[in-house]
Amino acid sequence: MACLPESGGCERHRTDPFVAHLNKLEGAEFIHQACLDVLYRSSPQPEALYSDCSTGAEIVIERKTVVWPPDYAVHHQNDHLIADSLSEKLRDLAHGQPLTVHLDQAPRMRRTELSSFGHEVAESIRASMTSILEGN
């Protein structure tokens, strides 16, 4: 899910811009050496190691994402699960036309209930489809 923070894999694409900014501010020449958390998977490691060849200085970067409120990511993922469910259940209704379904944030429910909720919403849309296509 691209709109939420993901972990795992080399995060150099996230740390390089910071190091470029640091180099500019400090007049340094740090360059990427290794994705430590990928290289040493069996133990916790910072994301990246950079070194400045002209001075021999090294820095490691640990990147963190703060998500608030604490349960935001779980509930946002619920939104995606419902959207995926609706997309699957309503695919045949669009007939190649763009249609939009707008729902408020998914209710706070367990994942096991999400499928039923998605099914209910899809059935409600199906029952109203003639009126929807007529613009009513």
Side-chain angles (χ1 to χ4, degrees), residues 17-63:
F18 170 76
V19 173
H21 181 70
L22 179 67
N23 283 341
K24 184 177 178 182
L25 285 177
E26 301 291 327
E29 297 178 19
F30 286 103
I31 59 170
H32 185 265
Q33 297 299 316
C35 290
L36 298 174
D37 58 345
V38 173
L39 194 57
Y40 302 102
R41 290 186 188 274
S42 60
S43 63
Q45 297 291 323
E47 270 66 48
L49 168 66
Y50 290 80
S51 64
D52 185 327
C53 296
S54 63
T55 65
E58 292 183 329
I59 59 171
V60 292
I61 299 175
E62 172 69 22
R63 182 178 167 274

Side-chain angles (χ1 to χ4, degrees), residues 12 24 36 62 84 87 103-104 109 111 114 125 127:
R12 181 177 177 182
K24 184 177 178 182
L36 298 174
E62 172 69 22
D84 291 345
S87 180
L103 298 173
D104 291 329
M109 59 179 64
R111 286 196 179 163
L114 289 173
I125 292 169

Side-chain angles (χ1 to χ4, degrees), residues 1-129:
M1 189 173 335
C3 56
L4 289 176
E6 295 179 14
S7 62
C10 183
E11 295 186 42
R12 181 177 177 182
H13 67 286
R14 304 271 189 204
T15 58
D16 277 354
F18 170 76
V19 173
H21 181 70
L22 179 67
N23 283 341
K24 184 177 178 182
L25 285 177
E26 301 291 327
E29 297 178 19
F30 286 103
I31 59 170
H32 185 265
Q33 297 299 316
C35 290
L36 298 174
D37 58 345
V38 173
L39 194 57
Y40 302 102
R41 290 186 188 274
S42 60
S43 63
Q45 297 291 323
E47 270 66 48
L49 168 66
Y50 290 80
S51 64
D52 185 327
C53 296
S54 63
T55 65
E58 292 183 329
I59 59 171
V60 292
I61 299 175
E62 172 69 22
R63 182 178 167 274
K64 293 291 181 195
T65 301
V66 177
V67 178
W68 189 262
D71 61 352
Y72 173 81
V74 170
H75 293 290
H76 185 78
Q77 191 171 31
N78 286 353
D79 291 340
H80 280 275
L81 292 171
I82 290 171
D84 291 345
S85 174
L86 290 177
S87 180
E88 177 185 322
K89 290 176 172 62
L90 299 174
R91 182 172 285 122
D92 64 306
L93 292 182
H95 304 292
Q97 301 175 37
L99 296 176
T100 301
V101 175
H102 175 81
L103 298 173
D104 291 329
Q105 184 178 33
R108 296 182 184 258
M109 59 179 64
R110 292 186 299 265
R111 286 196 179 163
T112 55
E113 299 171 299
L114 289 173
S115 179
S116 295
F117 178 74
H119 181 72
E120 289 174 27
V121 171
E123 290 306 311
S124 174
I125 292 169
R126 280 187 179 284
S128 306
M129 198 59 190

